Amino acid sequence: MDYNKFEDRISRWIENDMDIKERKEFEKFLSDHPEYQLKVEEVRNTISAMNQAPNLKVSSDFDTNLNQRLKTLGLSENVKKGIFGFSNQNFAYMTLTLGAIFLLTSFLVQSNSTYMFAEKESESIEILSPSDSLEATDEMDEMKDVDLLNNIDGSFVNDQQ
Amino acid sequence: MNQNLQTLSAESSEMNSPFKLTDEKLIARFQDGDINAYNELVDRYKDRLLNFVFRYFNNREQAEDVVQETLIKLYTHASYYKNIAKFSTWLYTIAKNNALTELRKNKRKRTDSLWTNEGKPIDIETKGDSLEKTVHNEIAVEALNRYLDEIPENFRIAVVLRDFQELSYEEISKILEIPIGTIKSRINRGRIQLSEKMKHFKEQ
């Protein structure tokens, strides 16, 4: 390895961006030429200094100026506000929630009305006493007899009428 | 909008929570019309962009102007962002293009120093060190910035993106639209040139 190649590889060695073969070659060059170790150290220190350098901060009136420029360009009115002032995402969540509430309410109303209907039916059944049920059975038997007679001789029905 | 910019902290409690939204989620929210998301992005990037753009001009006022242009473009061109690239890469690319356009418009002026802006000290983040250390660091940083300004622009911008902004080689490659190999080479060359200048500073 010559000096130019060595120099080209300094950052890659510092950043561990070499394969093993290249690294060994680089490190052998360094041990053969200790005078260049300082060079590597200087680059490393410079990187470290840049990493730790304080940052500039925007001036205190930056936001106000930006706002003013946006206003001058009439951009604050052009911003898309979503649906009814909600973002599309929030609007979707809201719609889903309302839909779920609607479905739940419909389900509850439906099950309540079914329950009330069943309750009414059971009430009407309960009105019949055991004696009533016997009377009803007798009535049905009589009707069956009439039907039988009707089938045998249609005149019976006519006479009844 | 004025109100939104000034009441950012009050309105975006979710964004200030320890579980911060990613830049990509914020831009998606802004694309959906959430102005607080825009404010949060401005807050996250205004200083970073200033530190980047400043290296093109070495003039704070011009740099701030370009940062504002960039953030206005973020506002007007938000719909152009597609979630295939990192948001930071996209925004830095806009900033770089704005800076280059501005450079073409005006001849570069190197009359400003990092530490003085028409006699006014520049507001910087300090790191709670002793006064002696702070003074020493400030002198070193001043030298670093002065020397940085002396190296070729191609090297300087790549070095700034890597060592000040701490971006990956891939990101830098995309922002500057240059192959990664070239970026690595420029950064290495820039660092070596800078370290040689810094060596002279230490010897003084």
Side-chain angles (χ1 to χ4, degrees):
Chain A
M1 188 196 284
D2 60 12
Y3 180 78
N4 286 337
K5 267 193 173 175
F6 157 75
E7 213 181 54
D8 284 346
R9 295 177 183 182
I10 292 177
S11 285
R12 290 179 56 213
W13 185 77
I14 290 171
E15 293 181 322
N16 200 13
D17 186 24
M18 280 178 170
D19 58 35
I20 297 169
K21 192 186 160 194
E22 239 184 334
R23 173 167 283 274
K24 278 186 177 170
E25 197 184 352
F26 186 90
E27 285 168 2
K28 189 178 181 305
F29 182 86
L30 267 187
S31 60
D32 292 345
H33 304 85
E35 68 273 21
Y36 296 143
Q37 285 179 11
L38 184 64
K39 181 94 184 163
V40 175
E41 209 46 45
E42 282 166 4
V43 174
R44 196 203 295 274
N45 288 340
T46 304
I47 295 171
S48 174
M50 287 190 282
N51 288 164
Q52 290 167 18
N55 286 323
L56 283 171
K57 289 179 89 177
V58 294
S59 53
S60 54
D61 56 354
F62 182 89
D63 283 352
T64 316
N65 291 341
L66 175 61
N67 168 51
Q68 197 57 47
R69 288 177 75 170
L70 287 169
K71 231 176 176 182
T72 309
L73 294 168
L75 290 173
S76 51
E77 287 79 25
N78 291 342
V79 67
K80 199 170 65 172
K81 293 282 186 192
I83 305 160
F84 302 129
F86 296 99
S87 74
N88 290 350
Q89 198 182 14
N90 288 345
F91 186 77
Y93 287 145
M94 207 172 64
T95 311
L96 280 173
T97 312
L98 286 173
I101 291 169
F102 175 75
L103 283 174
L104 191 68
T105 313
S106 313
F107 174 75
L108 287 173
V109 168
Q110 197 180 0
S111 54
N112 197 32
S113 61
T114 311
Y115 171 76
M116 283 170 72
F117 180 73
E119 215 172 34
K120 269 186 181 173
E121 272 200 334
S122 63
E123 272 172 13
S124 64
I125 288 164
E126 275 169 17
I127 290 166
L128 296 170
S129 64
S131 58
D132 289 338
S133 109
L134 273 173
E135 278 170 21
T137 314
D138 290 344
E139 273 176 24
M140 281 178 76
D141 286 345
E142 273 177 26
M143 282 174 76
K144 273 181 189 170
D145 292 342
V146 169
D147 281 347
L148 279 171
L149 288 168
N150 202 17
N151 286 341
I152 296 164
D153 185 2
S155 61
F156 178 82
V157 178
N158 293 334
D159 291 347
Q160 289 275 316
Q161 286 169 346
Chain B
M1 170 65 77
N2 189 14
Q3 199 185 0
N4 282 329
L5 279 171
Q6 287 170 358
T7 57
L8 169 68
S9 55
E11 289 183 8
S12 55
S13 57
E14 189 189 347
M15 289 161 193
N16 291 331
S17 73
F19 307 102
K20 276 190 170 182
L21 291 174
T22 61
D23 296 337
E24 287 71 26
K25 283 199 173 162
L26 282 174
I27 184 71
R29 281 191 172 198
F30 179 51
Q31 284 171 335
D32 280 344
D34 183 354
I35 193 69
N36 286 326
Y38 172 77
N39 291 331
E40 175 66 14
L41 286 169
V42 168
D43 215 41
R44 279 186 194 182
Y45 278 93
K46 57 189 179 186
D47 291 337
R48 288 166 71 179
L49 289 176
L50 178 69
N51 281 279
F52 168 52
V53 170
F54 184 83
R55 307 297 166 182
Y56 281 96
F57 302 98
N58 203 18
N59 177 302
R60 186 189 175 85
E61 204 178 321
Q62 259 189 312
E64 277 206 11
D65 202 48
V66 169
V67 173
Q68 292 213 348
E69 284 291 331
T70 305
L71 294 172
I72 289 170
K73 271 210 173 133
L74 165 63
Y75 195 106
T76 54
H77 290 66
S79 58
Y80 286 76
Y81 172 77
K82 302 279 178 273
N83 202 6
I84 43 172
K86 271 187 83 175
F87 172 77
S88 57
T89 308
W90 183 71
L91 195 62
Y92 273 107
T93 308
I94 296 175
K96 178 209 73 178
N97 290 337
N98 281 345
L100 291 176
T101 307
E102 196 61 27
L103 275 180
R104 270 183 233 118
K105 273 192 219 164
N106 310 308
K107 292 232 169 183
R108 198 165 155 190
K109 291 175 186 172
R110 291 173 174 273
T111 52
D112 212 357
S113 132
L114 176 68
W115 302 100
T116 54
N117 183 29
E118 294 162 1
K120 284 186 281 181
I122 286 175
D123 190 13
I124 57 162
E125 287 175 7
T126 50
K127 291 176 179 167
D129 290 327
S130 69
L131 182 63
E132 192 185 349
K133 205 176 171 186
T134 306
V135 170
H136 181 264
N137 283 347
E138 282 185 5
I139 294 167
V141 171
E142 186 184 359
L144 181 70
N145 282 293
R146 193 170 64 241
Y147 293 137
L148 192 63
D149 201 36
E150 288 173 8
I151 68 172
E153 189 181 292
N154 284 349
F155 294 173
R156 183 173 65 249
I157 299 304
V159 166
V160 164
L161 286 171
R162 178 68 183 167
D163 293 329
F164 284 87
Q165 306 282 315
E166 298 181 12
L167 301 184
S168 70
Y169 284 115
E170 287 77 11
E171 282 180 274
I172 300 168
S173 165
K174 280 178 190 164
I175 292 165
L176 300 180
E177 295 163 274
I178 293 165
I180 288 186
T182 313
I183 291 293
K184 284 184 177 178
S185 171
R186 283 185 185 181
I187 290 171
N188 187 51
R189 293 271 130 213
R191 283 169 174 172
I192 289 168
Q193 287 192 16
L194 203 57
S195 68
E196 278 163 6
K197 289 175 187 292
M198 287 298 282
K199 187 170 72 179
H200 297 310
F201 164 73
K202 280 176 189 167
E203 283 166 0
Q204 282 170 10

